[in-house]
Amino acid sequence: GLTLVVVAMIGQRAARAGAGAWLRARLGVRARAAGLCALAALSGLGGSAFAALAVLAPLVEAAGLARARLALAAGAVVNAVHGCLAPAPLPVAALAILGGDWRLALAFGLPVALAQAAVGLALARRAPADEALDAPDAPDAVSSAAPPAARGGLGLLVLTLLLIGLILAQSLGQIPSEPFGGGPVRESLLGLGRPMILALLGLGGALL
């Protein structure tokens, strides 16, 4: 619950900085949807699907049109990648327990993830649109007063990529072979990727 509150605060700060207006002025609806899905696929490799969705929430808010559909699409992609592809913890744990080959797991998991994401995107596309949010002429109550600020838009993108990087670092830290080493280093990586820590770091970045 606290994570959701902090994520909402990050979204408000980004909107007041003009991030959403800048993104909507530079990118069309299709480009915003494609970019968000690409980031969702990347963040889905992390240790927590909830943390991935929380990190993406301010970008969904900034997207403006079709927020509900974009949120459903991002959730579908995150879940598909998180459950089927390494280095996400679930596939890695299964490989470690069963002693499986990661190449074979990737060869099987990639088409399954693509099929699952495709079904999720199709369902998101068919979802009813919220007329108050998706109407072409509907004003954005949050960001209508904010000018299209390149600093705000780029700042939100950089902050999102930084948080996704921490999620991925946590995921790599959970690999049984410990590629970054064990002990305090591993525990630090695992701690940085927890949802509440991500949210606090994101809020600090949004305030800056």
Side-chain angles (χ1 to χ4, degrees):
L2 290 175
T3 304
L4 294 176
V5 171
V6 174
V7 166
M9 296 171 66
I10 295 173
Q12 287 290 324
R13 293 306 309 165
R16 292 183 182 277
W22 184 82
L23 288 173
R24 293 190 293 274
R26 296 297 188 278
L27 301 175
V29 176
R30 291 182 182 274
R32 279 177 263 161
L36 185 65
C37 288
L39 291 177
L42 188 62
S43 61
L45 295 172
S48 169
F50 173 74
L53 292 173
V55 166
L56 295 173
L59 273 182
V60 173
E61 182 70 21
L65 300 179
R67 289 180 186 135
R69 291 178 178 176
L70 288 178
L72 288 172
V77 174
V78 165
N79 283 325
V81 172
H82 188 72
C84 298
L85 298 180
L90 293 178
V92 167
L95 289 173
I97 293 172
L98 299 175
D101 183 0
W102 68 269
R103 298 177 184 85
L104 183 60
L106 182 62
F108 178 77
L110 183 59
V112 173
L114 290 174
Q116 182 180 341
V119 172
L121 292 175
L123 292 175
R125 189 181 182 88
R126 293 172 60 88
D130 187 340
E131 294 181 1
L133 292 176
D134 297 336
D137 298 327
D140 191 329
V142 175
S143 60
S144 59
R151 182 173 59 180
L154 291 174
L156 179 59
L157 290 176
V158 170
L159 180 60
T160 302
L161 291 174
L162 174 63
L163 296 179
I164 290 176
L166 293 177
I167 293 176
L168 293 177
Q170 183 202 34
S171 180
L172 294 174
Q174 293 179 356
I175 295 178
S177 61
E178 298 181 342
F180 293 124
V185 175
R186 181 175 185 272
E187 293 302 320
S188 298
L189 289 174
L190 295 179
L192 285 175
R194 299 190 187 281
M196 197 61 205
I197 299 299
L198 289 172
L200 292 176
L201 291 174
L203 180 59
L207 291 174
L208 289 176

